[in-house]
């Protein structure tokens, strides 16, 4: 009986493994390089599938978990230094994202880099933070929860890919992803910043938010690295499961018509 079950399992699963996953039937397919169609199709997918599509590797968009990140790491240990890391990261709000611009996705994907422009009314980030540092005679080492609110958040992703062949099909793999981040307001709350004195915690959070532009400029390189990793993983999960040609309408080479 066990062998019979194994044979049945292999007969069912091997064709799926060989052929790869497919986009849901209600996802509009576009011609290669059709930017307006791609904007429309991706936005419809985001609206219809806030919980993601596990079959193709798309994670939940309403609560996307991503890996631990180092946001700030001081190179030395002088009189003033700070290390800041985040873990148990969850981003909430990608299900409300709007794609405003798409470039690339040509039949030969390496002919032109892919550019995606995205706008979110707000992106909420929840995490556990670990912070240690020293300011002159004052040292600190603390862990707590973090809540971060990126308002009117704009993201531009510039993407370069490799083409891999599996079972006579083309699959993309992101090898370079450069995000550009912009926003209107950043609100952050670090709970337990000073566990011995909640008044100091409240005061320091007020300082952060009153001077958010300066802190944003200081922390942005680390945040860019975190978003780079998060988006690379997200896209590669989908690209690994769905063949590139299966994402689009059949290619017609119009050059042969002339």
């Amino acid at each position: 009986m066990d062998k019979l079950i194994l044979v049945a399992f292999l007969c069912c699963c091997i064709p799926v493994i060989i052929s790869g996953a497919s986009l849901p039937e209600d996802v509009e397919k576009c011609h290669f390089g059709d930017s307006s169609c791609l904007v429309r199709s991706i936005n419809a997918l985001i609206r219809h599938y806030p919980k993601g599509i596990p079959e193709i590797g798309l994670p939940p968009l309403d609560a996307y978990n991503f890996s631990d990140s180092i946001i700030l790491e001081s190179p030395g240990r002088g009189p003033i230094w700070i290390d800041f890391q985040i873990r148990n990261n969850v981003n909430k709000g990608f299900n409300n994202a709007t794609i405003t611009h798409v470039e690339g996705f040509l039949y030969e994907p390496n002919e032109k880099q892919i550019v995606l422009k995205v706008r979110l009314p707000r992106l909420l980030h929840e995490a556990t933070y670990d912070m240690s540092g020293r300011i002159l005679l004052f040292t600190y080492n603390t862990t707590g929860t973090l809540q971060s609110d990126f308002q009117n958040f704009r993201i531009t992703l510039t993407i370069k890919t490799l083409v891999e062949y599996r079972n006579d099909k083309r699959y993309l793999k992101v090898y370079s992803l450069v995000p550009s981040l912009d926003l209107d307001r950043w609100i952050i709350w670090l709970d337990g910043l000073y566990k011995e004195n909640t008044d100091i915690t409240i005061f320091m959070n007020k300082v952060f938010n009153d001077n958010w532009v300066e802190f944003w400029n200081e922390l942005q390189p680390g945040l860019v690295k975190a978003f780079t990793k998060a988006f690379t993983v997200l896209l590669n999960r989908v690209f690994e499961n769905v063949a590139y040609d299966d994402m689009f309408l059949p290619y017609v080479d119009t050059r042969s018509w002339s």
Side-chain angles (χ1 to χ4, degrees):
M1 179 61 71
D2 291 341
K3 290 183 178 180
L4 182 60
I5 294 173
L6 177 60
V7 171
F9 173 80
L10 292 175
C11 289
C12 292
C13 292
I14 285 179
V16 175
I17 295 171
I18 292 176
S19 62
S22 300
L23 294 174
E25 292 184 359
D26 62 345
V27 174
E28 179 185 8
K29 289 189 177 182
C30 304
H31 292 289
F32 290 98
D34 187 342
S35 297
S36 59
C37 177
L38 287 167
V39 168
R40 181 174 65 247
S41 177
I42 298 172
N43 281 327
L45 184 150
I46 292 171
R47 297 293 177 265
H48 293 159
Y49 295 96
K51 299 297 182 182
I53 309 174
E55 295 80 6
I56 68 170
L58 182 67
L61 300 175
D62 57 352
Y64 174 46
N65 296 272
F66 64 96
S67 60
D68 301 351
S69 299
I70 298 174
I71 303 301
L72 190 63
E73 187 173 35
S74 298
R77 289 294 183 267
I80 300 177
W81 61 273
I82 183 171
D83 290 344
F84 190 81
Q85 304 179 28
I86 51 176
R87 51 190 170 88
N88 303 323
N89 295 287
V90 181
N91 274 334
K92 298 181 178 181
F94 283 119
N95 56 306
N96 296 318
T98 298
I99 305 295
T100 60
H101 181 80
V102 176
E103 293 179 21
F105 290 109
L106 305 181
Y107 177 70
E108 296 295 342
N110 293 332
E111 283 186 8
K112 186 178 182 180
Q113 63 188 10
I114 296 169
V115 177
L116 297 173
K117 294 186 178 181
V118 190
R119 183 181 61 81
L120 297 89
R122 67 188 308 194
L123 180 67
L124 299 177
H125 173 219
E126 298 175 353
T128 300
Y129 73 87
D130 301 303
M131 185 170 69
S132 59
R134 178 185 181 92
I135 301 177
L136 301 178
L137 298 178
F138 177 70
T139 60
Y140 52 91
N141 190 343
T142 186
T143 296
T145 56
L146 173 154
Q147 291 182 325
S148 191
D149 184 355
F150 304 94
Q151 298 183 352
N152 195 20
F153 197 40
R154 283 96 64 194
I155 307 169
T156 298
L157 302 179
T158 303
I159 304 162
K160 296 180 181 179
T161 61
L162 299 171
V163 177
E164 298 179 342
Y165 289 86
R166 301 201 307 268
N167 305 311
D168 297 323
K169 289 192 174 185
R170 300 188 300 170
Y171 291 81
L172 296 189
K173 184 174 183 179
V174 175
Y175 76 88
S176 172
L177 186 149
V178 180
S180 173
L181 310 178
D182 195 12
L183 75 172
D184 285 355
R185 183 75 167 91
W186 183 34
I187 300 172
I188 187 170
W189 179 265
L190 301 169
D191 194 35
L193 192 57
Y194 294 92
K195 294 180 174 60
E196 300 82 3
N197 191 324
T198 56
D199 290 337
I200 296 180
T201 293
I202 294 171
F203 172 76
M204 289 305 299
N205 276 283
K206 185 177 185 303
V207 171
F208 289 149
N209 288 293
D210 287 346
N211 301 276
W212 72 270
V213 173
E214 289 78 7
F215 283 102
W216 169 259
N217 291 334
E218 184 68 25
L219 298 177
Q220 190 175 10
L223 292 170
V224 165
K225 290 181 181 178
F227 278 104
T228 298
K229 185 186 302 183
F231 285 120
T232 300
V233 170
L234 187 154
L235 291 173
N236 274 337
R237 284 176 180 171
V238 176
F239 289 160
E240 183 179 358
N241 283 281
V242 184
Y244 184 59
D245 295 287
D246 292 343
M247 298 179 182
F248 298 89
L249 294 171
Y251 175 66
V252 178
D253 188 357
T254 57
R255 294 173 299 180
S256 61
W257 297 359
S258 56

